[in-house]
Amino acid sequence: MVPQRVTLITLGAQSVPKLRSFYSALGWEETPASSDDYSVFTTAGVLLSLYPYQDLLKDTNLDPGVHGQPSLTFSGITLAINVESAEEVDAVMASVKKHGAQILREPFEAVWGGRVGYFSDPEHHVWEVAYNPAAIFDESGAMISF
């Protein structure tokens, strides 16, 4: 049986120091294992790691594509930060923009009753910021249901 959990998300970084600086500027805390070669941030329930893109290609044995560079097309994956109020969506989006994120879609009222906005970090990893009125968080801030 495969355990039903996600424990680590790794972003392939063209520049670990650049992305490390971006996430640090958001106020995210790093683990002691972090450096400019590999960085790990603690979040509620999942660790976020930054690992050199070329090393990740080697590790996964994937085809690097054109000129060994990541595609700037949408990969079909978003990372999400769920928050506890509609107003917090707007505040988070304003904060990430101030720290160099590209706003892909300004916050809007979702058809399912929440509020959502989208941004990308300096290397085009896509993030969703969402308020879901049905979301349930545990004491650590991890979303456990909606």
Side-chain angles (χ1 to χ4, degrees):
M1 180 187 293
V2 177
Q4 187 173 332
R5 62 178 172 243
V6 176
T7 56
L8 177 72
I9 295 171
T10 300
L11 302 179
Q14 291 296 313
S15 170
V16 171
K18 180 179 176 181
L19 280 185
R20 183 180 187 206
S21 177
F22 172 77
Y23 289 104
S24 291
L26 297 182
W28 290 21
E29 292 184 29
E30 291 181 276
T31 68
S34 295
S35 71
D36 278 345
D37 296 320
Y38 176 69
S39 182
V40 181
F41 291 87
T42 57
T43 70
V46 177
L47 295 176
L48 176 69
S49 73
L50 308 176
Y51 188 65
Y53 179 82
Q54 294 298 330
D55 293 343
L56 193 56
L57 278 176
K58 289 176 197 169
D59 286 355
T60 60
N61 202 31
L62 289 171
D63 180 357
V66 179
H67 308 294
Q69 298 298 312
S71 168
L72 294 181
T73 61
F74 180 53
S75 67
I77 296 173
T78 62
L79 304 168
I81 301 168
N82 282 75
V83 296
E84 297 184 37
S85 72
E87 297 77 19
E88 196 174 354
V89 171
D90 295 358
V92 168
M93 293 293 288
S95 180
V96 299
K97 183 176 184 177
K98 182 176 79 171
H99 293 294
Q102 178 184 359
I103 303 304
L104 301 175
R105 186 165 181 194
E106 293 288 345
F108 63 96
E109 301 302 318
V111 297
W112 42 266
R115 186 160 177 78
V116 181
Y118 289 91
F119 73 90
S120 66
D121 72 15
E123 291 193 4
H124 311 289
H125 300 104
V126 178
W127 287 86
E128 170 190 27
V129 179
Y131 164 65
N132 182 336
I136 299 171
F137 298 89
D138 70 11
E139 62 280 350
S140 73
M143 188 169 68
I144 57 174
S145 182
F146 64 86

